[in-house]
């Protein structure tokens, strides 16, 4: 992108669900959107990607004109001065089994980079918000498991052949049936 490393979070859908329909772009986008919503909601609650409270704002930042003009609570660290950074978080890339969240806007990526690395602060302590907690991954699994399973089965013609053993058993069954006819 620019001067700063791209801040991105890649969600491996096959790891979350055990399998994933490669061709279902709509389902992938829905899961990606929900993951973004979860990141934003948790961040605005003042929690990082591990569910821990963010490092407090520095006194100099709380005393700044920008902070005062935004009318922010000095005791609530939510990385949302004006909301531009979190509002522009989006799906930036998809592969058959992953969805990647990040920023295309260089300024917003730079802000995210500063928070995640701690370079935005004088003391260098990061506020790494870019990711999902284990509980959020579990919640995502529960919310989309049935849809993922149904789409995955449909993509395979309704037959679950997820393991090598199952594929071998089906091949053996086909061979037996072909010899009987």
């Amino acid at each position: 992108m620019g001067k700063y490393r791209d801040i991105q979070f890649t969600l491996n859908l096959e790891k979350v669900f055990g399998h994933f329909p490669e061709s279902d772009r709509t389902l992938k986008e829905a899961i990606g959107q929900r993951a973004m919503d979860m990141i934003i909601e948790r961040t605005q609650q003042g929690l990082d990607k591990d569910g821990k409270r963010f490092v407090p704002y520095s006194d100099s930042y709380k005393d700044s004109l920008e902070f005062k003009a935004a009318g922010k609570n000095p005791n609530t660290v939510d990385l949302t001065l004006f909301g531009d950074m979190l509002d522009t978080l989006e799906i930036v890339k998809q592969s058959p089994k992953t969805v990647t969240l990040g920023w295309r806007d260089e300024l917003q990526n730079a802000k995210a980079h500063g928070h995640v690395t701690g370079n935005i602060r004088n003391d260098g302590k990061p506020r790494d918000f870019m990711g999902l907690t284990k509980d959020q991954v579990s919640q995502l699994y529960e919310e989309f498991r049935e849809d993922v399973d149904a789409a995955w089965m449909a993509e395979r013609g309704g037959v679950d052949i997820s393991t090598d053993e199952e594929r071998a058993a089906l091949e053996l069954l086909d061979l037996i049936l072909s010899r009987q006819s």
Side-chain angles (χ1 to χ4, degrees):
M1 181 176 277
K3 179 179 172 182
Y4 300 97
R5 141 180 95 80
D6 288 349
I7 298 300
Q8 297 180 339
F9 170 66
T10 299
L11 185 60
N12 184 323
L13 301 168
E14 190 170 50
K15 283 186 179 178
V16 172
F17 297 101
H19 53 259
F20 196 82
E22 295 183 12
S23 62
D24 198 329
R25 188 174 182 90
T26 302
L27 181 57
K28 197 178 307 172
E29 288 174 2
I31 294 168
Q33 182 60 54
R34 181 65 181 120
M36 282 189 297
D37 292 344
M38 291 172 146
I39 290 169
I40 292 167
E41 290 165 12
R42 189 203 64 246
T43 300
Q44 291 178 331
Q45 293 171 1
L47 303 173
D48 69 12
K49 69 179 184 180
D50 297 317
K52 296 178 183 163
R53 290 246 161 247
F54 288 127
V55 176
Y57 290 131
S58 67
D59 289 338
S60 61
Y61 181 62
K62 290 188 277 189
D63 292 337
S64 72
L65 291 175
E66 190 175 45
F67 190 85
K68 289 178 181 179
K72 300 298 290 184
N73 179 341
N75 299 316
T76 304
V77 180
D78 61 9
L79 311 188
T80 311
L81 185 62
F82 297 108
D84 296 341
M85 180 185 70
L86 294 176
D87 285 347
T88 57
L89 178 61
E90 62 184 310
I91 296 171
V92 294
K93 188 173 19 175
Q94 292 185 39
S95 75
K97 296 187 189 272
T98 67
V99 61
T100 301
L101 312 177
W103 289 267
R104 288 190 174 91
D105 182 285
E106 196 168 329
L107 175 61
Q108 303 312 320
N109 183 73
K111 289 179 190 178
H113 181 273
H115 286 298
V116 168
T117 63
N119 291 338
I120 205 167
R121 302 171 37 80
N122 292 336
D123 62 11
K125 293 181 182 173
R127 295 187 183 111
D128 192 355
F129 65 97
M130 197 57 174
L132 296 172
T133 66
K134 289 179 184 178
D135 286 345
Q136 287 177 312
V137 172
S138 295
Q139 183 180 350
L140 202 62
Y141 173 82
E142 289 302 322
E143 287 180 26
F144 287 96
R145 178 179 46 90
E146 290 179 7
D147 293 333
V148 168
D149 288 349
W152 191 77
M153 292 291 283
E155 190 174 82
R156 280 151 185 72
V159 177
D160 182 353
I161 53 168
S162 60
T163 66
D164 290 338
E165 292 85 8
E166 290 166 333
R167 280 188 216 99
L170 284 175
E171 288 174 10
L172 181 59
L173 181 61
D174 284 343
L175 179 66
I176 292 168
L177 292 174
S178 69
R179 288 188 178 177
Q180 290 179 348
S181 34

